[in-house]
Amino acid sequence: MKLNKKTMMLLSLCMGIVLIASTAFADSMTKTGYEELKDAIKFTAAQISDEIESGTANMSYVLKDNEEVLAKQTTVSKMDIKNNASETKGTLLIGGIVINNTYNFKDKDGSINYDQSSDTYYVSKLFGLPSDADVSQNKIFVNPFENSSAGDVEKIFDAVIGNLKNYVFVTENEDKSKVFTGSLSDAQIPALVNALVSFASKQVFSSNNNPTVGGNVAEGTDKMSVADPSAISSDTSGVRDITQPNLPKITGDVFVKNVNGKVTVTKDGLIESAYVLGVLSGKDAEGNLHDLSLEVLINFENINSTVITRPDLTGKKVEERNDTSIIPETLSSKFEGTYKVDVITEKSQNLVKIGEKNLVIESIRDGKITGKYFETYKPGYESYLNNTSEFAFESVVDNPYTVQIQFTDKAGKIQNGSLNFDTMTYKINLWLESFDKNKMTDSNFSRVFID
């Protein structure tokens, strides 16, 4: 259930709006109400970590452009804290098409991860642990408020939001349960928040979103299965990638239009549900108005009665792996190869290719990755070369989708960056922090095949 970088940036932006405004809701209450809500959040986290034995969380989000549903994702996560087991099922729909179904299972013995693209269940086992090993080192839930920096983060949230008042209502029911509701319009949201959102969104919508070979469908094509070969076109002209939301290209007048939220807390002080709707408004290049909304709903249920059983994989395609430091369907040797991206500039009102950026993944083996990067340019464009235009790297793989890299550039300076692997499009995003230009640079690389 992995989206490309542009989509993830957009969702992160929308979630940022939601979180900021939600905190504004809390801060707009009376001191008592605000403190009570924070206490409920902390109490719920502590109970999940130390007291509650099991539970189920249902989460859904819906992303819309005006009234058109662009993307919808539903996730059901079960936790058996007592036996240190978890199970997650998810479905992602783009434009009404089921793009991805995911399944993940984990217990003290290992994990099971389903990869839809290969219809394979990857089973990883844990080895080398003594029978009396401390399972707390592999806990499925860790209380975030026990982190040493949690207090500082809380103070920052308290200080940044400001003194919004009288926009949230707290209702206490006869059984002592509580309901927190609130609504903020654009006029009530701090100008600084709107300015930051406007700047960030323009960067997101102005970034390139090139067609993806092997996952395209003609514009206007209605609902269909991605597995249908007739839906795939080898001609990338005038087609869009059906595995990504068809996002509007908002270019101006961007602001947070409104945010609505509701949180319910049981009589025992546990958060039972949370709902947030945030709307980002703006205009595209043609002046058309877009209201991009993100609706998020979370429900918690079956507390201390959730049961998780290891799935029966009889008759399924199964591949066993012993190294749990790498998720097989993500960072396996299938990503080894050469990846390229064209360097394009404008000349005499025409777009021309002046060079290439090349990323070579030489090896992904035994929890390590090695490779190299280099740029080539046509005569007359050599000035584009800099100290990070060529380097080699070797890093440890310790994350399912992202690998941090460090290398020495041509000037002898230590540089940092990251590789982000997209298992939906099989592209790699290379991010570099360039000391030469004192700015961040990134490129989305596509695999090159030689027939």
Side-chain angles (χ1 to χ4, degrees), residues 7-59:
T7 306
M8 290 305 296
M9 287 175 65
L10 174 65
L11 295 180
S12 297
L13 172 63
C14 292
M15 287 303 295
I17 297 170
V18 168
L19 291 174
I20 290 172
S22 298
T23 307
F25 289 158
D27 201 34
S28 67
M29 295 183 236
T30 63
K31 182 66 173 178
T32 301
Y34 178 44
E35 292 299 330
E36 284 183 359
L37 183 57
K38 289 203 298 184
D39 287 345
I41 295 172
K42 294 176 182 178
F43 179 72
T44 301
Q47 289 291 297
I48 295 175
S49 178
D50 302 324
E51 300 295 333
I52 293 176
E53 295 185 352
S54 65
T56 300
N58 297 294
M59 177 177 178

Side-chain angles (χ1 to χ4, degrees), residues 85-128:
S86 64
E87 182 182 59
T88 301
K89 298 179 182 179
T91 300
L92 173 65
L93 295 92
I94 303 295
I97 304 170
V98 177
I99 297 299
N100 198 17
N101 287 306
T102 59
Y103 177 83
N104 300 283
F105 172 87
K106 180 181 179 182
D107 63 11
K108 59 184 179 61
D109 297 320
S111 63
I112 299 173
N113 298 283
Y114 175 68
D115 177 27
Q116 179 176 292
S117 62
S118 61
D119 192 25
T120 302
Y121 289 85
Y122 292 94
V123 179
S124 300
K125 297 181 180 179
L126 293 176
F127 291 93

